[in-house]
Each structure stands twice: as structure tokens, then as C-alpha cells.
Amino acid sequence: MITYKFKSYIVAGWLCCGAAAALTACTDWTDHYDGAETGVGSGSLWEQLSANPQLTDFCEVLDKTHVFRMHRKTEVSYADLLRGGQSFTVMAPVNGTFNKDSLLRLVQTAHGDSMVEKAFVFNHLSRMATSLKAVEQSMRLLNGKNAPLTQTTVLNVPVISANNHAENGIYHVMSSALPYGYNLYEALCDNPEMAPVGAALRHYEWDEFDPDASVSSGVVEGVPVYVDSVVYERNRMLEAIGLLNAEDSTYWVVAPTAEGWQRAWDKVSQYFVYDQSYQKRDSLQRYWAMRALMEDAVFNMTDQQNTNEALRSVPYLNWRKTYITGKPVYHLFQKPFEPGGILYGSRQMQCSNGMLYITDEWPFDAEKTFFKPIWMEGEYSYRITAEKSCRYTSIRQVADSISENAYLQIIASSGTANWELTFRLDNVLSGDYDVCAILLPQTVINKDARLRPCKFKANINYCDVEGKDQTFNCDNKTFQSNPERVDTVVLAEAFHFPATNYQQSTNKISLTLKCSISALETSRYSREMLLDCIYLRPRSAKGQNEE
């Protein structure tokens, strides 16, 4: 027996010890899924449905549609299930209210059969034994959709004959087929004009077998055998950006059509080029480019306030404001429906768990979403990977001008030594940055200090796309700090990193600072540096700073 669990709810799993046995005497299933009492009825659900001349089209589809197990078609039809011992509630549409011929053509193929199973058969069956009552209620269908019920309607479709009891359940004769409400994930995956978006999302589907929740029948030749196997359908991308297939959640999603998606993909994927030393470089690039495209396109509606004024994307709650001048805001999109807003001019598609906004182009800027500044706090001494001729101390000091209220004091090990320190830089994208060092004035540590600049050079250490180590010496320039104020020293402008180290633990990108003071210059310069942070400022394709 197999049981599929889609996230938090059980949809179905159907087989037990072989097809015929499952339909006649499935004791294990009955014990595992205890159906509620449905009253006294004569004959099985299938016997009653097939005897009704108004339901012959529906019955023909049920007879021709087969159960899928582990994504494979079985020999068991839904007619077989409804004549067996399992309990169901059936919403049976009368003849002529749906395209029977189209459904029968689809079931001739495995993929089409699974589509008919999910979108049509599952949409008219429930594990809940549910009678229509005077009070409003809701019923979970086998495809996980929630169907609102009244005394005379199911999903707003009028009922012709309600609360008909059979030996293994209840059926209601419907005036037409129940409408299938696509959730956001299905809309993205099944809408032809958004095919590449759906294909990219589906790439991350996988099945997770849960042996602890499954029912074992013992071990055969050292291999565990399960009577009831519980399998969770998972999607790594949805677990990161938002559970767009969860029927009990509400989201908004904005996504472009096929051509707009391709243009956005071509642009964004270039920020996630990994060098050839990574074994799964293409997979890493695909995953993080997809994350970059989708993370800011998903909005959990429980996190919103006034949607006309602003929308907060899923990463907003985890976002941390930076100390950079102007404090740019990420993941918060002002006036989304007005000209220039991310939803302006979009087309709406209502889904069962939210709203899909379809655009012609990806409506975001890289510099305002994923292509953010990178800062490495100087006091994070654990980021130091190499040192020479120096001592350094992390000092905490609360001041508006000091990032994170701490900095690194670097002192030469002797009066004439020129020190070197190398700092690891993480999550650098394969793009252009201004590479900067933010230095503090000497008065931060000693108000009476003799004000002398620190004179130094810098090397940017990185890898090319072939994985070869490279060094850029910042044009062999010599830099000087301003001893009187907080000073942002630009070491390299619009420097292009050809390969990213995003979300990797390797030390492939770093910055080396080197004191460069000759013995004769000792009286003019200071070998002490107060490093607030190292700052990588993104540059757009046009070479403009993001601020």
C-alpha cells in the first residue's frame, strides 16, 4: 500500500498487497484509514453510480482512469476502488456537463492519465464521508483542494440529488463538473505561456520516503518490505521561496511570460557563474539564479499591511539593514500598482491559494534585490586567513560612525615592520564591484593622537572561470587613510569577479591589505590601521553605483 502526503495533508495512496486483494479485502487499509459511518446503503458506490443513467459519462471516465503509484500507472481503475471496501464521498456530475471525449483521449497516455487523475477524478472524490447540511462547511478533496459546502451546493455548483448512501460512502449528483482551482504552483507549471518558469520550478521536485511513518511487513533477504509506504512529495525550491502548492496558505506571485523569463534568466544567471573546480557548477548556477529570480517575486499575504502602498517579499523578514550611507531598502516594493511598480500593467489570474500577476518582463532590478553590497566587518578576525608582521585586536566601541559598533586595530609587530593581513570575502557574485576599505580616524582610539595617515597597498585575490588563482594588485596604487574622519578608500572601481563563491565555504576570494611605509617615512605615516570594514559596492551593467 502506498500513501502520498503532499506537505501537511494526505491525498491518497491506493494499493494494498496487489490489485484484486486491495479491492475486496484490504484490512490493512481499513485499519489505517478508518472511514466515518455513512449510513445504510444498498450496494457499493460503484454499483449505485453505474446504475444511474445520468452518470454514464462520469462512470466511463472512472473506469478508464487508473491509479498512479510512485508516478507509475497501475492496473487498478477508480471503478475498482469505488466497488471496494474503502470509504469515499463522490461528487458525480451528470452527462453532458464536461468533455468526456477529451478526458478519455488523455487517459491513453501515462502523463495524460495522471493529469485526469489529479484535475478531474481527485477533484470529485474525498476521503471525508460528508453529508450536505444546513450549516456551511468545507471538505478536503483528494487533490488537496478545499471545497466549500452548503445544503444545496458544492464549490458553488448546484446539487441535483444529495446525501445518497452506499455501503462504502456517500455520493451527491451534481448539475455539472466541479471547477478545478489551480493553485499558484500548478498555474506556473501548467500555463503554456509560462512554461519555462514551471519547468524550472518542477526541476526541484523529489519524493522523500518516510520509513518511520510507513507500515512494515518485515524484512525479505535483508531488505525491509512495507505494506503501507508513506512518501512525501517535496520541492526544494518551494521550501525556500514559499509553499506555492499549499492550499491552506495565501500568496501573491509575480512572474513573466516565456520570453520575458528567458531575458531575465540570461541576465541573472551570469551573476552565478562558478569556476570549473566545482563538481556541480551548473546545478549551483541554476539553483541560485532561480532563487534570485523568484525570492522577491513571492509575497506571503500574512506578512502584508497596505498592499497598495507596499509589498514585502518573502526574504523581507530576514533582511538586515546596512550601515551604508542612504541605507538602501531591499525586499520592500513601494506603490506596486502604480507606474514603475512591480505589478503595474500585469494581468491577474485568480488561483485557489492566491493571485498570480503575469508580466511581460521580470519587473525587478538586480541591484535592488539579490545584487547587494557585501561587507566584511573588520572585527571579524576569524575571517583573517593570512597575516604577517602584525598584531590585531577587535575593539568594541558604540558610535554612530562605527559599523556594528566595533572595529579592528592593526599594529605593526615592530617600529619599522610593514604588516600584511588577508581577509576572506564570502558570497561575492560574478559581477562588478567597487572594492573599498572603510577606515576610522585615529581619534576614535586616542583623542590626543598625533594625526598621521596610514599608507598601504591592496591585492584582490580571486579565481577565473577555469579555477585558476589570480591576483589583481589594484594597479599597484598606494593608498592613504584620512586620520581625521571616517574614510571610504576605493581600492578598485568596477572590478569584475569572473567566478562567484556564493554560498560556498572555500577561501577563493579575499583581499590583502599591506602596510607600505619605508623606514625613511616612519615619522610621516602611521603603521596603525583602524579597519571598520571591507565593503564591496555593486556596480550595475551601466557602471553606475547602486546609490
Side-chain angles (χ1 to χ4, degrees):
M1 184 183 303
I2 189 81
T3 304
Y4 285 104
K5 291 186 178 179
F6 296 85
K7 304 305 175 187
S8 59
Y9 52 86
I10 301 175
V11 171
W14 311 120
L15 300 182
C16 176
C17 315
L23 308 171
T24 56
C26 186
T27 304
D28 291 331
W29 178 280
T30 304
D31 292 341
H32 197 62
Y33 297 101
D34 186 17
E37 291 296 329
T38 60
V40 178
S42 175
S44 68
L45 282 167
W46 178 252
E47 290 170 338
Q48 293 201 32
L49 293 170
S50 58
N52 189 328
Q54 292 182 292
L55 305 176
T56 54
D57 288 355
F58 182 61
C59 288
E60 186 173 358
V61 174
L62 292 177
D63 188 47
K64 299 297 184 182
T65 305
H66 286 247
V67 173
F68 269 68
R69 179 188 185 190
M70 301 293 288
H71 306 292
R72 294 184 180 180
K73 192 179 199 178
T74 70
E75 297 298 320
V76 180
S77 72
Y78 281 89
D80 296 328
L81 284 181
L82 293 181
R83 67 166 62 96
Q86 302 174 35
S87 177
F88 296 94
T89 295
V90 182
M91 281 63 66
V94 296
N95 294 342
T97 62
F98 58 93
N99 193 331
K100 178 192 72 172
D101 293 336
S102 175
L103 295 173
L104 292 178
R105 284 194 296 270
L106 280 172
V107 299
Q108 300 305 310
T109 64
H111 179 64
D113 208 343
S114 66
M115 291 173 58
V116 172
E117 179 187 55
K118 180 180 180 181
F120 184 77
V121 176
F122 280 7
N123 208 48
H124 292 84
L125 298 180
S126 174
R127 275 281 164 205
M128 304 168 63
T130 306
S131 297
L132 303 187
K133 303 174 184 178
V135 297
E136 293 185 1
Q137 53 185 328
S138 180
M139 174 172 56
R140 180 63 62 89
L141 303 175
L142 285 187
N143 54 22
K145 310 289 182 183
N146 292 309
L149 311 175
T150 69
Q151 192 171 13
T152 58
T153 63
V154 177
L155 263 173
N156 298 318
V157 175
V159 177
I160 296 174
S161 175
N163 302 336
N164 302 287
H165 291 268
E167 292 175 350
N168 60 334
I170 301 172
Y171 70 95
H172 312 293
V173 180
M174 308 302 300
S175 61
S176 68
L178 300 185
Y180 182 82
Y182 282 89
N183 62 39
L184 286 161
Y185 183 57
E186 293 165 338
L188 290 168
C189 291
D190 297 337
N191 189 340
E193 67 175 340
M194 312 192 81
V197 186
L201 287 172
R202 275 189 166 147
H203 178 80
Y204 296 98
E205 291 179 348
W206 63 293
D207 290 340
E208 180 183 48
F209 171 64
D210 187 348
D212 295 331
S214 302
V215 179
S216 175
S217 63
V219 177
V220 177
E221 296 181 354
V223 179
V225 177
Y226 294 90
V227 173
D228 182 7
S229 300
V230 177
V231 177
Y232 297 91
E233 289 195 353
R234 307 281 296 274
N235 186 299
R236 290 182 176 87
M237 188 58 61
L238 296 190
E239 290 170 6
I241 66 174
L243 301 180
L244 304 183
N245 57 353
E247 298 291 342
D248 54 357
S249 299
T250 304
Y251 292 93
W252 284 4
V253 176
V254 55
T257 53
E259 291 184 359
W261 174 264
Q262 188 61 53
R263 284 189 288 270
W265 180 266
D266 291 342
K267 173 185 176 181
V268 171
S269 62
Q270 294 308 304
Y271 288 95
F272 298 93
V273 176
Y274 290 83
D275 70 65
Q276 294 179 5
S277 66
Y278 291 99
Q279 292 183 350
K280 298 182 178 180
R281 59 191 300 261
D282 292 340
S283 296
L284 287 169
Q285 180 184 28
R286 180 169 57 232
Y287 178 80
W288 290 114
M290 185 69 180
R291 284 278 296 267
L293 283 165
M294 292 300 297
E295 273 192 324
D296 281 293
V298 176
F299 305 90
N300 188 328
M301 299 315 293
T302 61
D303 299 332
Q304 310 305 317
Q305 296 176 3
N306 185 340
T307 56
N308 288 322
E309 291 297 321
L311 283 172
R312 296 168 171 83
S313 62
V314 167
Y316 180 81
L317 295 179
N318 297 324
W319 168 73
R320 185 181 68 158
K321 291 183 178 181
T322 72
Y323 57 84
I324 302 168
T325 303
K327 293 184 178 179
V329 176
Y330 299 93
H331 317 302
L332 179 67
F333 304 96
Q334 305 288 348
K335 307 290 184 183
F337 294 100
E338 296 184 8
I342 59 171
L343 302 182
Y344 180 72
S346 62
R347 292 173 285 129
Q348 298 182 18
M349 178 179 177
Q350 182 66 56
C351 298
S352 63
N353 61 343
M355 187 72 73
L356 175 62
Y357 292 87
I358 302 173
T359 60
D360 293 327
E361 301 291 338
W362 186 64
F364 302 97
D365 294 325
E367 294 82 3
K368 296 298 183 183
T369 51
F370 65 90
F371 192 31
K372 301 186 182 78
I374 297 171
W375 61 96
M376 197 291 298
E377 293 294 328
E379 66 272 14
Y380 294 169
S381 56
Y382 63 87
R383 295 282 190 89
I384 296 174
T385 60
E387 59 186 84
K388 177 183 176 182
S389 304
C390 66
R391 302 189 305 273
Y392 51 86
T393 306
S394 296
I395 299 177
R396 181 167 179 78
Q397 183 170 334
V398 178
D400 291 340
S401 59
I402 301 176
S403 168
E404 301 294 325
N405 296 316
Y407 60 92
L408 188 72
Q409 180 189 31
I410 308 169
I411 302 174
S413 58
S414 67
T416 58
N418 280 332
W419 54 263
E420 294 185 14
L421 276 179
T422 299
F423 300 86
R424 188 182 84 238
L425 302 178
D426 295 336
N427 296 321
V428 180
L429 300 185
S430 48
D432 296 351
Y433 295 87
D434 291 339
V435 180
C436 311
I438 300 180
L439 308 178
L440 300 177
Q442 293 177 331
T443 53
V444 167
I445 198 168
N446 182 0
K447 293 181 179 180
D448 299 321
R450 179 188 172 192
L451 300 182
R452 293 179 298 164
C454 180
K455 184 180 170 187
F456 63 99
K457 292 186 176 184
N459 286 343
I460 299 172
N461 313 300
Y462 63 99
C463 276
D464 60 22
V465 292
E466 295 180 352
K468 296 178 181 178
D469 292 333
Q470 304 289 342
T471 296
F472 175 62
N473 67 359
C474 297
D475 294 328
N476 202 32
K477 291 180 181 179
T478 300
F479 306 95
Q480 293 185 25
S481 66
N482 189 323
E484 299 181 0
R485 63 177 175 84
V486 177
D487 189 13
T488 299
V489 180
V490 180
L491 308 174
E493 292 189 48
F495 180 79
H496 180 71
F497 290 90
T500 180
N501 66 347
Y502 190 71
Q503 294 294 320
Q504 303 302 306
S505 59
T506 56
N507 297 332
K508 292 199 171 188
I509 299 178
S510 61
L511 176 69
T512 301
L513 300 179
K514 303 183 294 181
C515 183
S516 181
I517 302 171
S518 69
L520 296 177
E521 296 175 317
T522 299
S523 62
R524 294 171 49 198
Y525 297 99
S526 171
R527 286 182 168 82
E528 178 185 56
M529 177 182 285
L530 305 182
L531 178 63
D532 193 6
C533 68
I534 294 167
Y535 167 39
L536 273 60
R537 181 169 55 205
R539 296 289 293 262
S540 70
K542 295 180 180 180
Q544 298 297 319
N545 291 349
E546 67 161 2
E547 285 114 3

